Amino acid sequence: MPRPNWRVSLALIGAAVLLVAAAQAGTAVTPTAVPASGVINACYQKEEGMLRLINEGQSCRTSEVPVAWNIQGIQGIQGIQGIQGPQGIPGIVGLEGKSCPAGTAVTGFSATGELECGRTTPLCQPTTLTYFAIAPWYGDENQLWPGGTVRLGDDTCNVVVKIPSGSILDIGDLGDRWEILSKTGYGSATLTVDTPHCNSVAAIPNVTLNRPSCSSASSFADVARSSTGISVAVS
């Protein structure tokens, strides 16, 4: 039994690998570039084990064997079909023909499968709402912001605002502040607290964390009650 010519086999394999790598990397291949057919043609010298490229259509010499490689391999066989996935959970039934009221859209579904709707467009026209609160006297010492809440607007379009309370001397987080509690008919509401009117000779008007104050006010130099105001831009 004849022994295999490993020199020839390795030469052929090595040449094929180098040719394919050079073609894929865009490197020039001598003596010709890879043809559009994607087939590399070459001639193998049987006695010396040498390999040379030839142009498509050229012939090998009598002492050579023609060989060829495809740049891209042949398509593989079809893989086996995957296993079937699990059954999906049942969907919500009974929603056919249902819809949300005008100006609203579906935001979710209730536990019973009913539509949950939310407003997508403001019901009311953009405007600016304003309010002033006056600090009443507190005995013979100082003044207090009145506290409580107030509704700005009407039954359909309104904003409910919290009024600060406590001494007008208290600054920032030492007391409560102006705060929007709710809005009806509007998509957004932006609160702006005005600088308070401090009717005391030594008072320093200030707004910190939406709380107005009249710090350093003297209870013996009050000429009138102090006041605080806000504006709420709604749309």
Side-chain angles (χ1 to χ4, degrees):
M1 177 177 174
R3 296 177 61 188
N5 190 340
W6 294 109
R7 177 186 177 191
V8 173
S9 300
L10 292 175
L12 288 172
I13 295 172
V17 171
L18 290 175
L19 289 172
V20 172
Q24 291 179 340
T27 305
V29 180
T30 306
T32 180
V34 179
S37 63
V39 178
I40 300 175
N41 295 282
C43 296
Y44 168 65
Q45 216 286 333
K46 294 179 288 185
E47 296 179 358
E48 299 294 332
M50 303 298 294
L51 189 73
R52 66 182 181 89
L53 294 178
I54 60 173
N55 291 322
E56 190 172 15
Q58 288 182 323
S59 300
C60 295
R61 303 185 184 102
T62 56
S63 61
E64 297 173 328
V65 177
V67 291
W69 298 271
N70 290 324
I71 290 296
Q72 182 175 356
I74 61 174
Q75 183 176 355
I77 60 174
Q78 179 68 35
I80 61 174
Q81 184 176 356
I83 62 174
Q84 184 175 355
Q87 178 67 35
I89 61 175
I92 299 176
V93 297
L95 297 178
E96 183 178 359
K98 293 185 178 181
S99 61
C100 290
T104 64
V106 176
T107 58
F109 302 93
S110 68
T112 59
E114 295 296 324
L115 294 180
E116 292 183 346
C117 303
R119 183 163 296 280
T120 57
T121 57
L123 178 65
C124 307
Q125 296 299 315
T127 188
T128 299
L129 306 172
T130 59
Y131 183 76
F132 290 91
I134 299 176
W137 298 106
Y138 177 62
D140 295 330
E141 297 182 8
N142 57 33
Q143 303 176 55
L144 301 178
W145 299 126
T149 61
V150 61
R151 189 187 73 177
L152 309 180
D154 54 32
D155 293 339
T156 305
C157 305
N158 63 72
V159 174
V160 177
V161 180
K162 179 182 178 181
I163 305 171
S165 62
S167 173
I168 65 173
L169 301 175
D170 295 337
I171 301 175
D173 56 7
L174 295 178
D176 54 8
R177 66 205 67 186
W178 287 103
E179 183 179 355
I180 296 175
L181 299 180
S182 65
K183 57 183 181 293
T184 301
Y186 296 109
S188 65
T190 303
L191 172 69
T192 300
V193 180
D194 302 329
T195 301
H197 296 282
C198 300
N199 290 314
S200 176
V201 174
I204 301 174
N206 177 268
V207 175
T208 302
L209 300 176
N210 283 348
R211 178 177 175 82
S213 63
C214 297
S215 59
S216 302
S218 171
S219 60
F220 301 103
D222 290 339
V223 296
R225 290 183 293 175
S226 299
S227 62
T228 174
I230 60 167
S231 61
V232 182
V234 290
S235 60

